[in-house]
Amino acid sequence: MDSREVRAGYMDAKVGSIKIHISELKIGMFVSKLDRDWLETPFLMQGFMIESLDDIDTVAEYAEYVWVDAVKEEWVPPETRAVSGSPIAKAKSYVNKVDAQQEHRAALGVYREARRLTKSLLDDARFGGVINTEAAKATVKDCVHSVLRNPDALLWMARMRNEDEYTSEHCLNVCILAVAFGRHLGMNESELEKLGLCGLLHDVGKMRVPQELLNKVEPLSEKEFNMVRAHATHGRNLLMSSPGVPNVAVDVAYSHHERVDGEGYPRKLKASGISDYARIISIVDAYDAMTADRCYSRAIPSTDALKRIFQDRGSHFDERLALEFIKCVGLYPPGSLVELVNGLIGIVLETNNRFRHLPKIIVVMDLIKPLEKEQVISLEEVEQRKLDKTYLIKRALRDGSHGIFIREYREKGLVFRY
């Protein structure tokens, strides 16, 4: 938590950075650079606020000198300030009620049914029907209950893609990711259900856009691009005509492509006109799209997607929410494909909240020699027991690297059998 007092209507603006010794680091300082490559540390990127003494101790393990931003107060006009009542301040803290292995069994059924229902909902919208709101709410409720028990299992399934069913899987994945993010933010169960419904229905307007445009590989003309952009308006209209859809879901369908700098669409809203729910879905929507194969672009690793969100904070995305989302997703979210220093390729099964760079993985390939058998490894246990630095993760890979696709492991029956 930033210890500086902030006056209403003012915000801190960076005016350069200064180099200091780690002994001078204090709570409330923003570290913008380390004296070593960030890839050699467990930090996701160079740029984070010191919020506790534990943060200082952690930085001290990896750096002797750091660069911190010098700041001054800057007046922010009311029309560009963040709206009040932000869910960023944690109202509730959650702990995992079951381990990921146990929840995976329950989550598999939840995911399969949610996937079937999402496709059905979008098909109804495509053929001129209205949204089955009660079925959508029931599906979201099941997803919320799974995420509240342990988010890793459902997040793992959200990484399993089928390019031919991009829109329906994207809507479901945004729902799941948004609920997990809302849990991280401390939103209560009722708020999580509203947020999840917003994610599930945010792109429903694309069902009123010609499918050949959505699937076009070549660059769109200006006219075609405007037709695709119109999905936000189509979504608002469709949801307004569907009984029982809450106003917040209508707003998110209409506003999830707005930007806090006022350069978004369809209305070029300034920050104060964009709801917190729309800001959250905007970030999650972009992240899921970047990490998925689409007909016109290939997926990028999670770490690269988070770097882009970090770079676009304060212009495209709400800055505070963007930073919180990066913390929530972490270095290697469930379902990530990673390469270790020793040449092993693994799929992340379970995150490690204490040591984010040392998750639990299943090894599926060896780049050095033939793999004798697939095995589950806790990188934290390996490092603590053997101090073997070759078991550190070298880099994150995109789904499909080395011919490894997460969905194929679902089809082979990988269901956390360890």
Side-chain angles (χ1 to χ4, degrees):
M1 180 69 68
D2 193 336
S3 61
R4 292 170 293 182
E5 181 180 351
V6 180
R7 292 185 291 153
Y10 285 81
M11 68 173 288
D12 287 334
K14 293 187 290 186
V15 292
S17 59
I18 55 175
K19 181 180 178 181
I20 64 171
H21 189 267
I22 194 69
S23 62
E24 300 177 76
L25 199 56
K26 294 180 174 60
I27 294 174
M29 289 183 173
F30 186 89
V31 177
S32 57
K33 184 180 177 182
L34 305 176
D35 60 4
R36 62 188 299 178
D37 192 323
W38 70 269
L39 288 173
E40 300 174 7
T41 76
F43 306 122
L44 184 61
M45 55 191 63
Q46 295 178 3
F48 49 87
M49 183 74 75
I50 297 297
E51 299 180 341
S52 67
L53 294 176
D54 287 341
D55 290 346
I56 296 177
D57 291 340
T58 302
V59 175
E61 292 180 24
Y62 295 93
E64 183 177 1
Y65 290 93
V66 298
W67 282 256
V68 298
D69 289 345
V71 299
K72 67 178 181 179
E73 284 192 323
E74 180 181 84
W75 168 254
V76 180
E79 65 271 15
T80 59
R81 290 182 214 152
V83 294
S84 60
S86 172
I88 300 171
K90 290 195 174 185
K92 187 175 179 63
S93 295
Y94 294 95
V95 295
N96 293 339
K97 298 176 182 178
V98 298
D99 62 28
Q101 179 182 2
Q102 182 180 348
E103 181 54 31
H104 201 282
R105 298 188 183 98
L108 184 60
V110 170
Y111 182 79
R112 284 174 173 167
E113 177 59 20
R115 193 165 174 263
R116 182 198 66 77
L117 181 86
T118 304
K119 189 174 186 305
S120 176
L121 289 173
L122 296 184
D123 285 343
D124 287 345
R126 179 180 292 114
F127 297 116
V130 296
I131 296 298
N132 185 338
T133 308
E134 293 309 310
K137 288 179 178 178
T139 294
V140 170
K141 186 183 288 285
D142 288 341
C143 291
V144 169
H145 289 166
S146 177
V147 168
L148 289 181
R149 290 190 295 266
N150 188 314
D152 280 1
L154 210 52
L155 287 172
W156 190 89
M157 293 172 196
R159 303 284 294 189
M160 298 184 283
R161 315 279 193 170
N162 185 333
E163 188 177 329
D164 294 333
E165 299 179 12
Y166 171 76
T167 301
S168 62
E169 291 192 348
H170 172 65
C171 287
L172 177 55
N173 292 348
V174 170
C175 167
I176 293 169
L177 281 165
V179 171
F181 186 27
R183 180 189 194 262
H184 168 84
L185 294 173
M187 299 172 76
N188 63 40
E189 189 169 332
S190 174
E191 291 170 329
L192 292 177
E193 289 176 5
K194 286 194 293 185
L195 182 62
L197 189 65
C198 290
L200 190 70
L201 301 178
H202 79 287
D203 260 353
V204 70
K206 284 186 175 178
M207 298 302 98
R208 300 292 171 85
V209 176
Q211 291 299 297
E212 58 269 22
L213 290 186
L214 297 178
N215 298 326
K216 186 175 179 181
V217 177
E218 298 79 13
L220 299 178
S221 67
E222 183 177 356
K223 179 180 178 181
E224 290 171 331
F225 190 49
N226 288 335
M227 291 174 68
V228 173
R229 280 183 162 187
H231 80 272
T233 303
H234 293 318
R236 178 201 62 179
N237 296 341
L238 178 59
L239 295 182
M240 286 181 68
S241 66
S242 299
V245 175
N247 291 335
V248 65
V250 177
D251 171 71
V252 168
Y254 197 26
S255 306
H256 65 280
H257 284 292
E258 300 289 355
R259 298 168 45 124
V260 295
D261 62 5
E263 294 300 315
Y265 68 88
R267 292 174 288 170
K268 292 189 176 295
L269 296 178
K270 292 286 188 179
S272 60
I274 308 172
S275 71
D276 285 319
Y277 285 88
R279 295 176 190 222
I280 291 171
I281 297 301
S282 172
I283 295 170
V284 177
D285 175 41
Y287 171 81
D288 187 71
M290 286 188 283
T291 54
D293 276 337
R294 292 170 283 178
C295 57
Y296 51 86
S297 67
R298 298 294 89 184
I300 62 175
S302 173
T303 46
D304 290 350
L306 292 178
K307 287 179 196 175
R308 292 189 186 179
I309 289 172
F310 180 80
Q311 292 165 355
D312 289 340
R313 74 196 192 285
S315 56
H316 190 156
F317 307 112
D318 179 288
E319 179 159 8
R320 294 169 297 166
L321 283 170
L323 295 175
E324 286 296 331
F325 182 73
I326 291 167
K327 291 180 186 177
C328 173
V329 172
L331 280 167
Y332 310 111
S336 298
L337 196 63
V338 295
E339 179 185 343
L340 307 189
V341 173
N342 57 17
L344 296 179
I345 304 295
I347 300 171
V348 175
L349 293 176
E350 192 173 346
T351 54
N352 185 334
N353 290 328
R354 185 180 178 191
F355 302 106
R356 302 301 288 266
H357 62 304
L358 298 172
K360 183 176 289 186
I361 67 170
I362 179 169
V363 175
V364 296
M365 180 179 286
D366 191 333
L367 298 178
I368 309 298
K369 61 183 184 297
L371 185 68
E372 295 183 4
K373 67 175 182 177
E374 296 174 354
Q375 58 178 323
V376 173
I377 299 177
S378 168
L379 299 188
E380 179 184 359
E381 291 180 5
V382 169
E383 185 174 8
Q384 288 179 343
R385 187 171 66 250
K386 299 180 179 179
L387 296 177
D388 190 344
K389 298 301 182 182
T390 67
Y391 278 88
L392 290 174
I393 293 176
K394 178 180 180 180
R395 57 176 174 160
L397 305 173
R398 70 174 187 86
D399 188 28
S401 296
H402 302 292
I404 301 169
F405 292 90
I406 305 301
R407 69 174 182 270
E408 292 180 358
Y409 279 83
R410 175 184 65 185
E411 294 163 0
K412 287 167 59 177
L414 176 61
V415 187
F416 272 61
R417 296 177 299 187
Y418 56 88

